[in-house]
Amino acid sequence: MSERDVAAKADEVREALAERESVLIAFSGGVDSSVVAALAHEALGDDAVACTAKSETLPDAELDDARRVAEEIGIEHLTVEFSELDNPDFVANDDDRCYHCRTMRLGRMYEAARDRGIEAVCDGTNASDPGEGHRPGLRAVEELEVLSPLLAHDITKEEVRAIADDYGLSVADKPSMACLSSRIPTGLEVTEERLSRVERAETILRTWGFEQFRVRDHDGLARIEVAPEELDRALDADFVRAARDHLKDAGFDHVTLDLHGYRTGSVSPAAEADTDADAGDDDLLVDDVFAQDYPMRE
């Protein structure tokens, strides 16, 4: 990847967006949608609008971050609201949960765009996304004919971060952030109670300075995953005691630390394919976790 190649791709995206009368960007405040918003704002000025959909699966901290980054870019920022929990197909949390979520979320984007007389809706799907395992949300993007300028111009995740760095965006190195429902194993219903205790628990870890982590909710058992480079801190006896006490206060019955560390999609249907061969039990619910037979020294 050369700087010249990345700059040329960014120019192509700006030129393509400039041909539109107006665009609304589905804006999470993550690096992908932030780069699309920055390129669109440069290409279209006030005719580019960023829009964030607020729901139970979006942490309040992420909404605050989206507002901050939109201000940093200088683009107008809208907020719309909806509830995934109104959709029983989403609540059931099957293999297509992300499809149902993305369909509803993008549907609200189209409504907001129509209300503002905006021509097109864009998202931050990049060229690396289709190859990252089980991604049913991409089907919703295709079905709704959302514009994905990063994907259309073959801009990978690494190149997205390079463009963000070139723009001086504070989210250039921000870790990926999936919605809170991704912390609940497939097949276990998504409820407001589970989403709320996950958000409370992850807020605690963020406050303590952890950067790349997840708190998975196995029906009341919290499974903490942290990045390998942060694992030493998580193994500290003071952290163990504090995590146990604070996460139980947040609503969990049991608190555990996953010694595999943080892994993307470790409770998704494709967890086995996306991680190492030892990750096959990550979809187990709490009863199955306690029922496991572990090898013993004879």
Side-chain angles (χ1 to χ4, degrees):
M1 178 184 69
S2 72
E3 291 184 10
R4 182 175 298 177
D5 290 341
V6 175
K9 288 182 180 182
D11 286 340
E12 291 172 1
V13 172
R14 274 190 294 267
E15 291 169 5
L17 290 170
E19 294 175 359
R20 300 278 174 177
E21 291 182 5
S22 53
V23 296
L24 180 143
I25 301 98
F27 186 73
S28 67
V31 63
D32 298 319
S33 61
S34 294
V35 164
V36 175
L39 292 167
H41 180 62
E42 188 171 353
L44 293 167
D46 293 342
D47 291 322
V49 175
C51 184
T52 303
K54 176 176 170 53
S55 69
E56 297 92 344
T57 65
L58 179 70
D60 288 340
E62 289 299 300
L63 179 57
D64 292 341
D65 216 28
R67 289 172 174 146
R68 179 188 60 77
V69 178
E71 184 175 354
E72 184 179 304
I73 293 168
I75 193 170
E76 181 181 356
H77 183 238
L78 304 177
T79 303
V80 296
E81 295 190 22
F82 77 108
S83 175
E84 291 109 334
L85 300 183
D86 290 339
N87 185 336
D89 291 327
F90 175 85
V91 171
N93 197 17
D94 62 12
D95 292 0
D96 284 334
R97 182 200 68 230
C98 290
Y99 168 76
H100 302 303
C101 173
R102 188 72 69 89
T103 299
M104 289 185 284
R105 191 172 296 273
L106 290 173
R108 287 293 288 121
M109 298 295 167
Y110 273 106
E111 291 175 10
R114 283 194 297 269
D115 290 344
R116 296 287 297 262
I118 294 175
E119 175 195 6
V121 172
C122 300
D123 82 336
T125 302
N126 66 62
S128 299
D129 288 335
E132 291 188 348
H134 187 66
R135 300 294 294 270
L138 296 181
R139 179 156 52 95
V141 173
E142 294 174 2
E143 290 178 358
L144 293 171
E145 298 182 347
V146 175
L147 297 177
S148 299
L150 302 177
L151 177 61
H153 294 273
D154 197 32
I155 298 177
T156 65
K157 187 73 172 188
E158 183 181 4
E159 291 170 330
V160 170
R161 293 196 184 279
I163 296 170
D165 189 60
D166 187 56
Y167 270 98
L169 297 179
S170 61
V171 292
D173 296 319
K174 182 179 180 179
S176 298
M177 182 67 182
C179 80
L180 290 173
S181 59
S182 68
R183 297 7 173 216
I184 301 172
T186 301
L188 188 63
E189 282 194 353
V190 179
T191 66
E192 189 167 2
E193 177 186 8
R194 288 170 179 146
L195 294 172
S196 295
R197 68 189 175 205
V198 165
E199 182 175 7
R200 289 194 294 270
E202 292 196 349
T203 297
I204 291 168
L205 265 67
R206 189 174 296 106
T207 301
W208 287 342
F210 286 90
E211 295 183 4
Q212 186 72 78
F213 62 88
R214 295 287 188 268
V215 178
R216 312 291 187 184
D217 187 339
H218 293 264
D219 198 19
L221 181 147
R223 177 164 60 87
I224 302 171
E225 298 178 3
V226 300
E229 59 270 20
E230 299 183 274
L231 191 56
D232 283 348
R233 291 180 57 211
L235 292 170
D236 178 80
D238 290 337
F239 169 81
V240 169
R241 286 189 291 271
R244 178 193 63 207
D245 294 343
H246 283 76
L247 267 65
K248 292 192 78 170
D249 288 344
F252 286 98
D253 300 317
H254 306 278
V255 182
T256 67
L257 176 66
D258 190 332
L259 298 183
H260 282 290
Y262 168 72
R263 287 160 293 161
T264 301
S266 71
V267 292
S268 74
E272 295 92 336
D274 291 343
T275 57
D276 61 60
D278 294 329
D281 290 337
D282 281 345
D283 281 349
L284 297 175
L285 302 185
V286 60
D287 290 344
D288 296 317
V289 171
F290 287 127
Q292 294 304 293
D293 292 326
Y294 296 100
M296 302 290 289
R297 182 176 179 179
E298 295 181 358

